[in-house]
Amino acid sequence: MLSAVEQAIEGAILNLDHQEIKKLLTKLPKGKRLRAKLILYIAKENKESIKLASIAEMIHAASLLHDDVIDDAMQRRGVESINALYGNKNAIMLGDILYSIGFFELVDMGSIIAKSISNAVVQLSIGELDDVSLSKQFNVDAVIYRDMIYKKTASLMEACAYSAAILAGKNADAYALYGKNLGIAFQMIDDLLDITSDAQTLGKPALHDFVEGKTTLPYIYLHNRLNNEDKKKLEAMHARSLDMKEQEWILLNIKKYDIIQKCYLEAKELVLEALEAIKDEKNQKLNSIAKEMIDRSF
Ligand code: FPP
Ligand code: MG
């Protein structure tokens, strides 16, 4: 099912007939294609939905190319990132090319869908901007964190689900709510995995987010629970490399206050709301995507 989307992406890029771009493309990991799946599972596989899915994935890939430059990430999905292999300039330009092709194609999709997707890209760019500026200080506000991840991650999933429903003449608001909640939960779980997975599984060093200054939900909740002295201790570790003892201290306290479970339950609640939003649609595949997200132990 996804192979048609891969072909559409490859076709659009090969059409440019440019050797350098082709070379870069071979090093770009494909990922889970979650956005494409949402679209195809809502609108079924047809010419329009495949086109929309390929647009969403090109825009998403572009955003990750830029994100890895911004985050100085040397790995993506367990392999070397494009910026690590070919430098920041090439990664940024490949991103520019991908999202520009996406927008070029989007023009044909009708104004409701074009506006929904392009507005989401504005939102995800604002979300990334907020993520960067929030990283400068120890953010202790969970509402601010949630708003940032909604923009950074969930806005595009929301728009994909909404647009796919428009294509299929289905209940767009219900699917949009599904996409939004799934997206927020997805980012929360991604942020949890940064703490619970080992470096090898994750494809980047553990506690990387905190080292980068990102006080994701677990750090916010941990900070809330600590006494004043330990709050200061945690704050002093923010946005710098940590030695083993410091890492252990953080992990010990996360365990002590059952922070992972608290965050997981919050993500689960959102997934259950996502399922509730589309319960009348009886869409088995979308139900499975949502369930698989929370069907894991931490
Ligand atoms: C990953 O966050 C980042 C995003 C989901 C959005 C990135 C958006 C931009 C860079 C704006 C530019 C947009 C375009 C279309 C070029 P993360 O760093 O928390 O996740 P990670 O662990 O996967 O890196
Ligand atoms: Mg990143």
Side-chain angles (χ1 to χ4, degrees), residues 76-93:
R76 167 68 56 190
R77 295 171 179 135
V79 296
E80 275 184 293
S81 58
I82 298 289
N83 48 306
L85 288 167
Y86 301 109
N88 286 348
K89 290 180 186 176
N90 281 308
I92 290 169
M93 290 182 294

Side-chain angles (χ1 to χ4, degrees), residues 67-68 71 73 76 128 204 214:
D67 178 66
D68 284 343
D71 287 349
R76 167 68 56 190
E128 182 80 354
K204 58 185 178 182
K214 297 182 184 191

Side-chain angles (χ1 to χ4, degrees), residues 168-266:
K170 291 183 175 170
N171 184 344
D173 289 338
Y175 282 107
L177 187 58
Y178 168 90
K180 177 182 175 177
N181 281 353
L182 196 77
I184 300 174
F186 175 84
Q187 188 61 50
M188 279 182 177
I189 288 177
D190 194 59
D191 292 344
L192 271 185
L193 291 172
D194 191 75
I195 296 169
T196 59
S197 304
D198 60 52
Q200 211 178 356
T201 328
L202 208 58
K204 58 185 178 182
L207 307 189
H208 187 256
D209 285 343
F210 192 65
V211 169
E212 287 292 302
K214 297 182 184 191
T215 51
T216 55
L217 198 58
Y219 299 102
I220 295 173
Y221 286 156
L222 176 62
H223 189 272
N224 288 349
R225 293 297 304 267
L226 293 173
N227 62 36
N228 282 343
E229 192 186 325
D230 284 343
K231 270 188 176 55
K232 289 209 173 65
K233 192 169 170 178
L234 184 65
E235 285 165 19
M237 292 177 196
H238 174 243
R240 64 164 173 83
S241 55
L242 303 166
D243 62 30
M244 282 308 280
K245 239 179 99 189
E246 289 169 328
Q247 286 191 27
E248 276 163 16
W249 185 85
I250 291 176
L251 292 172
L252 203 84
N253 278 288
I254 282 180
K255 200 165 178 204
K256 179 173 168 191
Y257 294 111
D258 213 6
I259 301 291
I260 300 299
Q261 189 63 6
K262 183 171 161 62
C263 297
Y264 168 74
L265 288 178
E266 206 168 305

Side-chain angles (χ1 to χ4, degrees), residues 62 66 105 134 143 154 165 180 182 197 216 244 258 282-283 286:
H66 287 190
E105 307 268 350
L134 284 172
V143 175
K180 177 182 175 177
L182 196 77
S197 304
T216 55
M244 282 308 280
D258 213 6
K282 311 242 175 298
N283 189 322
L286 287 187

Side-chain angles (χ1 to χ4, degrees), residues 42-43 113 162-172 175 281:
I42 294 169
I113 291 177
Y162 177 83
S163 301
I166 296 281
L167 270 187
K170 291 183 175 170
N171 184 344
Y175 282 107
E281 304 291 320

Side-chain angles (χ1 to χ4, degrees), residues 59 62-64 66-67 70-71 76 99 121 124-125 128 152-153 187 190 204 214:
I59 292 173
S63 77
L64 295 183
H66 287 190
D67 178 66
I70 293 166
D71 287 349
R76 167 68 56 190
Y99 80 71
V121 179
L124 73 96
S125 303
E128 182 80 354
K152 183 178 75 164
T153 305
Q187 188 61 50
D190 194 59
K204 58 185 178 182
K214 297 182 184 191

